[in-house]
Amino acid sequence: GQNIDQPTEMTATEGAIVQINCTYQTSGFNGLFWYQQHAGEAPTFLSYNVLDGLEEKGRFSSFLSRSKGYSYLLLKELQMKDSASYLCAVRTRGGLTGGGNKLTFGTGTQLKVEL
Amino acid sequence: DGGITQSPKYLFRKEGQNVTLSCEQNLNHDAMYWYRQDPGQGLRLIYYSQIVNDFQKGDIAEGYSVSREKKESFPLTVTSAQKNPTAFYLCASSLLLAGGNEQFFGPGTRLTVL
């Protein structure tokens, strides 16, 4: 099976930088996604990594090291609206009947941005 | 606008009653999924479908049923056999089950069984 670990909660200050870590143990790794989810709402896609390295998208960046089973999401210039849960999800090859890729989610990291 | 819709947003039912949650997408996606989300837990896969008239059990299918009669629609029925049905239910879709595409989520339905 898959095992995905991320911190339960984090607190940061508006305007600062925060790094949310995700470690995973899986077979058939085929990519890692980060989603943002505000309370009571649907997750929205933030980033995707399948190769090692850093992917940058505006204030958000995501890093992947496949050999270490490790990813992080970096949020810069934090804003109050960034207060949300951040979900790490690992895709595994052939994890579904019919050969499809399966997405397994971590429990999420609740980020609180304070003034 | 293309997207995924789920209705209703909030649903209350008495214990022992079956209830059906709606999920519709106009993204022309092949694959559709149902997840359940509980406090402090990640999203868990209930059922998924990659083509019309075909669907497969996910990790926690017991007490649930689905149908896929149309490409756009993937309703989920929570039956009385589901021991703990109160949860936040999320429907998602993607272009191809085996492809490299992200899953898009609907707004969710919060089901409370009294």
Side-chain angles (χ1 to χ4, degrees):
Chain A
Q2 289 84 39
N3 189 34
I4 302 172
D5 288 313
Q6 28 178 158
T8 304
E9 293 178 342
M10 297 183 72
T11 302
T13 305
E14 189 178 33
I17 299 173
V18 70
Q19 177 175 312
I20 302 174
N21 296 326
C22 173
T23 58
Y24 63 89
Q25 295 169 312
T26 188
S27 56
F29 176 84
N30 193 26
L32 188 144
F33 293 81
W34 283 97
Y35 283 85
Q36 179 192 62
Q37 185 180 25
H38 286 98
E41 297 182 9
T44 55
F45 170 77
L46 288 177
S47 70
Y48 167 67
N49 295 71
V50 66
L51 299 175
D52 291 350
L54 189 68
E55 293 283 340
E56 297 187 79
K57 250 186 179 185
R59 293 191 300 116
F60 295 81
S61 303
S62 58
F63 172 82
L64 175 68
S65 169
R66 288 171 296 170
S67 62
K68 295 181 180 177
Y70 168 68
S71 173
Y72 67 72
L73 179 69
L74 195 70
L75 291 77
K76 303 174 187 174
E77 301 168 17
L78 280 172
Q79 302 174 10
M80 298 297 289
K81 68 177 182 180
D82 296 330
S83 293
S85 182
Y86 291 85
L87 310 177
C88 171
V90 173
R91 188 172 62 200
T92 51
R93 200 176 295 109
L96 300 177
T97 301
N101 295 327
K102 181 178 182 180
L103 207 57
T104 301
F105 287 83
T107 56
T109 298
Q110 188 65 43
L111 174 65
K112 183 178 180 183
V113 180
E114 298 178 329
L115 290 170
Chain B
D1 276 14
I4 304 175
T5 57
Q6 292 184 242
S7 60
K9 190 165 178 65
Y10 298 96
L11 189 56
F12 296 88
R13 278 293 181 269
K14 291 183 179 179
E15 196 172 340
Q17 289 182 333
N18 290 359
V19 60
T20 297
L21 282 59
S22 162
C23 177
E24 305 276 334
Q25 54 97 2
N26 61 3
L27 300 167
N28 200 30
H29 284 173
D30 299 296
M32 297 187 74
Y33 316 80
W34 274 105
Y35 293 91
R36 169 186 173 135
Q37 188 174 33
D38 295 282
Q41 295 196 40
L43 278 66
R44 291 183 290 167
L45 184 63
I46 305 172
Y47 266 97
Y48 62 96
S49 168
Q50 52 187 322
I51 196 170
V52 174
N53 292 324
D54 181 72
F55 47 82
Q56 304 293 337
K57 293 180 180 179
D59 298 322
I60 54 165
E62 186 175 350
Y64 299 98
S65 65
V66 293
S67 62
R68 186 89 187 272
E69 297 176 3
K70 299 185 299 183
K71 187 175 184 177
E72 303 80 19
S73 179
F74 191 41
L76 173 76
T77 297
V78 185
T79 75
S80 56
Q82 168 50 234
K83 300 300 180 192
N84 186 19
T86 294
F88 188 46
Y89 290 88
L90 287 159
C91 179
S93 69
S94 66
L95 268 174
L96 291 169
L97 192 65
N101 299 287
E102 74 205 66
Q103 292 184 13
F104 293 84
F105 286 86
T109 293
R110 186 166 298 280
L111 173 65
T112 302
V113 176
L114 306 170

